[in-house]
Structure formats: structure tokens, C-alpha cells
Amino acid sequence: MNTLGNMIERAGGVFLLPVAIAIIAFVLIGAPSSWLTLTVAGLAMGMMLFLMASGLSLVFGLMDVLNFGHSAFVSFGAFVAASVLAYFGGWLGSDSIVLNVMALVFAIAAAIVFGAALGWFFERVIVKPVYSDHLRQILITMGALIVAEQLILATWGGTPTNVPRPHFLEGTIIVGGSSLEVYRLFAFIVGAVVYAGLYLLLNKTRIGLLIRAGVENREMVEALGFKIDRLFIGVFMLGSALAAMGGAMWAGYETLITPALGAEMMVIVFIVVIIGGLGSIQGTLLGAIMVALMQNYVGFLAPKLALASNMLLMMAILLWRPYGLAPAVK
Amino acid sequence: MSLLSIKNMDVSIGQYSVLHGVTFDVPEGGVFVLLGRNGAGKTTTLRSIMGLWDRPAGSVTFRGEDISSLHTSDIARRGIAFVPENMGIFGGLTVAENMVLATASGKFDDTRLKRVYELFPALEQFWDKQAWSLSGGQKQMLAVARAIIEPRDLILIDEPTKGLAPSIISAMGEAFREISETTTILLVEQNFAFAKSLGRDMAVIDDGQVVHTGAMADFAADTALQDRLLSLSMEGA
Ligand SMILES: Nc1ncnc2c1ncn2[C@@H]1O[C@H](COP(=O)(O)OP(=O)(O)OP(=O)(O)O)[C@@H](O)[C@H]1O
Ligand SMILES: [Mg+2]
């Protein structure tokens, strides 16, 4: 029993859980081609959820701020990207991959810049006055989310907005009998690259070292001579930019978005962060992948349970590990 | 002139008034010991010097400059290091990462690092281990090592012997003696034997007020005074 536990620990511990879920799903689904399609869809969705959730996790870990308005960055990212893509509609339809890519890069960059700017405003004006007061944080950030939704409604209207996709990301490729959407592969790759970048930032740079230390003990970081405020605003802007980027990617994935997007994603993003454990991006990635895989597999096996599945997953994990699967050390 | 001078410091935490007009001077050099019963306000005093609680009244003068309204990080940059009661180790970081964060430039001064290794060989041995895996004594060593890896003028140390085995306590005492040859230490201690062996000057704090200051040698000789100020059975001073 103990040696088995040690073996699992050495092989990756909780990070093997998505693999376990995938194997169980493989048995239940039976058809390898459907399983592969669902798995790729789950991994792609997981990466987008990771983008949306990583900022929330870091901000909570470092600043102890519960930002219920976080999904406003997701929504704004989605709508800003949709507008930029629509503006470059001519380039998107073109057969030139260069024009395709440029339109896409502009759209994602616009979402990121907008997210970072909005994050700056949010931190300075809304969150800063309520540091270390969770109740007020919840109230004021929820209020901010409502305001953000209304702004989106006023700007983009209530009817679903169409999100044009670049030509080169349309269509599917066939691998071993299962059809894989190109956009999903693209989303997976983008998410993986961002994760790698974040990982390097956190683990190989001095700023990253300060962030990891600050997640554990803010006071001590200050007592060693560093201004935690500057880290806070930096991390907050980074987190909002990533959420907006996640929103932009999500918009392209859904191709039809409504102002309710933010509120819809909020629940799932919170589940991801709680499952993964607050303050660590490894945990967030793990939570995101698990939630997305579950959603896709259960959606296929028992569509009626799809929504409930993630709640059940969260409850099961919290019973087992109250701080989530891989929280930052506190 | 004294290195650190605290005058009439009042501190409230929430609605509780914890320190009432704390006043004492820490001269330059050696170990200055702050004694007091549980809950007397020793930790609060150190944290307030470090700027970690709001100070509504009074002054904290360090090398002639009033630092009482400075931000904690600026106080640290003035040359004051803090070893808190809970040690403040970053458990998820390696020993090396804990140490490198304590340097201003991100680079080690080789002579200082060598000195740390000599004082605390365990740190060299576990250099790349995550700090949470260290023993209590090793964590305390790491906390002290962080405070001396850069040149400092004053180190505030809060109850470093708490929960440590006697052999480790004596090693810690040796290290403090050596450190205090170049850096002033303001030491909060409940272990009176340990405090007595190191302290040159001292103060006793009780119920948020300084009730005695003087030379450690005199205080150590006066058992009646010790009983009155430190014994738990007697109230007031
Ligand atoms: N965070 C806090 N909130 C409320 N009261 C506090 C807080 N910290 C300390 N106090 C109160 O302030 C008083 C002084 O506490 P302090 O920790 O400074 O004592 P101490 O002398 O360090 O005691 P010990 O020897 O037990 O460490 C105590 O009555 C304590 O209850
Ligand atoms: Mg104390």
C-alpha cells in the first residue's frame, strides 16, 4: 500500500489524475476515435481555462484578494478580439497565411493590452482600497463585474456577436480515424506555450522568485527589502492580460459570444482554481485540464450530468484535499 | 549616540492598545536583550520597529533618522534585518533561493557566503533542498543566515531558541556571539540563561511598557528583581 503510494508519488502524484481520468474514459467510451476527439477537445479547452484562471490563482495566492470580477477580463478579451477580427475580416478570408496570422496576432494582442490596462485600473481603483477585507472584496468585485457586463452590453449589444475565424484555423484534420479541429490544436499549443513562459518566469527569474516568496509570506518579502505593492500591480496586470487572452481564444473557439460569457466562465474558473489549489500555476493547469476533460467526457457519456460533473469533481477533491491538489506552500 | 532609539511608542492592534509609551535605547555593538513575560509586547515591539504594525504615536530613530513612518522595505534597506518569531522561511523555495532573496543584488558576496557556511554548515549541506524539509533548528539557522548575508547594522531576532534542542541552542549562541562582533543584535528571548550569556544591555517589557533597563550583568545578579519582573506568578511591576 505504502510502496504503491510512493511509486505514484514518484511518477507524478496528483499530476497523474488527468491521465487516470483519460484512461477511465477510454474504457467507458469504448470507441478510440471518439475518445481521441474528446480528449483533444478537453485538452484544448483545458488550456484556455488555464489562461483564464491562472491570473485569479496568482492574485489570490500573492495578494489574498478574491476577485469575483476576474471574468470581466475574460469577457472584454473576447469582445475586443471579436471586434478586431471583424475589422480585419478581409484578411481573415484571404488565402494568404501571413494576413491570416497578422489579423489573429492583432486580435490577441489587442485583447492582452486591453486586459492589462483594465487590470491596472481594477487594481488601483477597485481592489486596492479593500485589501485584507474579503467580504468587501467580494461585494465590490462582483459589483465591478456587473458594471463590466453592462458596459459590454452597451458597446456590443445583447445579440450574440459572431466571431470570424482565420481561414487557416478552420476545418479539421483526420488522425487515425478521428477528426480533430484545427482550432483546438492551435488553442492547445498556445496554452502550452504560455504555460511554459509562465513557468520560466516564475522559476527562472528573480521576479518569479519574489512572486513565489510573496505567495508564501508577504511580510517577510517586505522585511527583506522589497516593495510588494509593485509586485501586486504587476501580477494583477499579468493575470488580467492572460484572462483576456483566454477570452480571446475562447471567442474564436465558440465563434458566437454573448455578454453573459463572463458570468458563465466565472463559475468554472473558480472551480478550476479551487481544485488546483490557490497560488500555483502547476495546480491551476492541473485543475483546468481535469475540469475540461471531465466536461467533455461526461458531456459525451451522460450529457445531462455535464454541468454537475465539475461540481461533483470539486467536492470530491476538497473532501480529499481541502486546499486543492497542488496549492502553493503557505 | 545610540544606534536605535524608541520613544513613547504606542501601538494598537485592531481596537486593542498593546504598547503604551515604550521607550528604550539600543547602543551600537553587542547584544541588547529584550525580556518579558508571555504577551508582554516583545514581538509587537520588534514588528513595530520593522514597520509591520501601524504606529499611531512615538518615534523610532535609527542612526539619527526617524524611521517610524517609513515603509517596511525601506526600513530593511536602511540596514535592519528581521528574524521573526515564526522564522519567516519560504518553505516552497530552496535554501539557496531563500538566501538569494536576502541579497539586494541577487548575487552572493563570496566572503559572506563562506562565513554563513562556517557558522551553519547544515545550510551548505542542504543548499538545494526545499526549506520546508529542514529541521526546526536548521530553519532557524536559515532565518539568521538570511539576516547576515548582506552587511547590516542591526538585526532584530525574536525568540530564536524556542523549541530547539540544547546542543543547537548553544551552537546558535556561538553564532550570535560571533555575529555581534560586527553587527548589533536586538534579541527577544524567554530563555533567560541564553539571554544572560549573550546580553550586554537589556530592557524588560511588561504589559506594553518598559519597566526596567540596565546592564545585563546587574540584572543577572539581582534575583529578586528577576522574580518580580519575569516570574509568571506575580502580577504587576
Ligand atoms: N495580531 C494580533 N491581534 C490582536 N492582539 C494581538 C495580536 N498580536 C499580539 N496581540 C496582543 O498583544 C499583546 C502582546 O503580544 P506580543 O506578541 O507582542 O507578546 P510577546 O511579548 O511577544 O509574547 P510571547 O512571549 O508570547 O511571544 C498580547 O496581549 C497579544 O494578545
Ligand atoms: Mg512574541
Side-chain angles (χ1 to χ4, degrees), chain A residues 67-297:
Chain A
N67 183 7
F68 277 76
H70 186 75
S71 66
F73 308 127
V74 176
S75 298
F76 269 109
F79 279 92
V80 167
S83 289
V84 174
L85 286 172
Y87 181 82
F88 289 112
W91 292 10
L92 291 177
S94 147
D95 279 336
S96 154
I97 205 158
V98 177
L99 288 181
N100 269 218
V101 171
M102 269 172 53
L104 186 70
V105 167
F106 282 147
I108 292 179
I112 289 175
V113 170
F114 195 89
L118 192 63
W120 179 85
F121 176 82
F122 224 81
E123 203 274 344
R124 288 292 109 169
V125 176
I126 296 170
V127 175
K128 196 164 195 239
V130 294
Y131 275 155
S132 71
D133 185 342
H134 280 156
L135 181 62
R136 286 205 201 181
Q137 280 165 16
I138 293 171
L139 294 175
I140 196 164
T141 56
M142 276 186 148
L145 178 61
I146 294 170
V147 172
E149 271 181 9
Q150 295 304 311
L151 281 175
I152 288 173
L153 199 62
T155 314
W156 282 277
T159 48
T161 303
N162 206 14
V163 186
R165 260 189 205 173
H167 185 63
F168 82 109
L169 293 177
E170 295 279 18
T172 57
I173 53 171
I174 308 290
V175 177
S178 38
S179 65
L180 308 177
E181 273 190 47
V182 175
Y183 192 87
R184 289 179 178 168
L185 296 173
F186 167 74
F188 179 79
I189 292 168
V190 170
V193 168
V194 170
Y195 174 77
L198 268 183
Y199 184 86
L200 291 178
L201 173 75
L202 284 173
N203 291 288
K204 300 286 175 222
T205 70
R206 189 159 166 87
I207 297 274
L209 191 55
L210 276 170
I211 294 172
R212 284 185 294 139
V215 167
E216 282 193 46
N217 189 335
R218 279 174 279 170
E219 278 190 349
M220 202 59 218
V221 169
E222 303 213 297
L224 289 174
F226 301 97
K227 291 220 159 45
I228 206 103
D229 281 20
R230 297 198 190 145
L231 267 189
F232 278 8
I233 181 89
V235 167
F236 204 96
M237 287 171 69
L238 176 69
S240 348
L242 288 174
M245 183 181 182
M249 300 288 300
W250 190 253
Y253 176 71
E254 293 275 282
T255 63
L256 209 57
I257 53 175
T258 71
L261 172 75
E264 283 162 18
M265 295 319 288
M266 199 67 234
V267 178
I268 197 156
V269 162
F270 261 90
I271 293 178
V272 163
V273 166
I274 290 169
I275 287 181
L278 290 157
S280 90
I281 60 155
Q282 286 95 322
T284 307
L285 180 65
L286 178 64
I289 299 279
M290 281 175 67
V291 163
L293 284 177
M294 279 293 272
Q295 185 133 329
N296 279 277
Y297 292 142

Side-chain angles (χ1 to χ4, degrees), chain B residues 25-153:
Chain B
D25 281 355
V26 178
E28 182 145 22
V31 178
F32 184 100
V33 180
L34 188 59
L35 296 166
R37 312 171 213 237
N38 286 111
K42 306 179 295 293
T43 297
T44 307
T45 303
L46 293 195
R47 286 177 56 86
S48 304
I49 295 169
M50 215 53 215
L52 291 166
W53 292 130
D54 288 339
R55 280 144 304 175
S59 70
V60 179
T61 313
F62 181 66
R63 289 209 178 288
E65 179 193 13
D66 186 354
I67 59 167
S68 63
S69 54
L70 292 184
H71 189 265
T72 298
S73 60
D74 294 320
I75 293 172
R77 293 274 181 229
R78 294 287 192 279
I80 303 183
F82 182 40
V83 180
E85 205 167 8
N86 62 11
M87 301 180 279
I89 296 299
F90 304 114
L93 273 50
T94 64
V95 171
E97 287 173 329
N98 269 275
M99 291 295 290
V100 85
L101 269 188
T103 63
S105 64
K107 298 226 170 11
F108 290 115
D109 172 335
D110 285 342
T111 22
R112 297 196 81 88
L113 188 59
K114 217 169 131 248
R115 177 162 166 251
V116 165
Y117 286 163
E118 277 162 16
L119 283 174
F120 307 117
L123 296 185
E124 184 172 16
Q125 191 185 343
F126 298 118
W127 192 241
D128 291 315
K129 281 225 168 174
Q130 294 215 301
W132 61 261
S133 67
L134 298 180
S135 73
Q138 290 160 352
K139 281 186 187 142
Q140 192 61 259
M141 291 173 192
L142 175 55
V144 174
R146 281 194 314 203
I148 60 170
I149 192 67
E150 290 275 296
R152 311 274 193 186
D153 292 337

Side-chain angles (χ1 to χ4, degrees), chain A residues 9-121:
Chain A
E9 201 56 52
R10 231 174 301 141
V14 290
F15 292 93
L16 292 177
L17 279 170
V19 180
I21 292 178
I23 292 172
I24 294 169
F26 186 81
V27 174
L28 293 176
I29 290 168
S33 68
S34 309
W35 175 82
L36 186 58
T37 303
L38 290 169
T39 304
V40 170
L43 290 176
M45 182 181 168
M47 283 302 183
M48 288 186 273
L49 288 181
F50 167 73
L51 289 177
M52 297 178 204
S54 52
L56 186 66
S57 175
L58 279 180
V59 162
F60 184 84
L62 181 67
M63 302 155 72
D64 200 21
V65 165
L66 275 169
N67 183 7
F68 277 76
H70 186 75
S71 66
F73 308 127
V74 176
S75 298
F76 269 109
F79 279 92
V80 167
S83 289
V84 174
L85 286 172
Y87 181 82
F88 289 112
W91 292 10
L92 291 177
S94 147
D95 279 336
S96 154
I97 205 158
V98 177
L99 288 181
N100 269 218
V101 171
M102 269 172 53
L104 186 70
V105 167
F106 282 147
I108 292 179
I112 289 175
V113 170
F114 195 89
L118 192 63
W120 179 85
F121 176 82

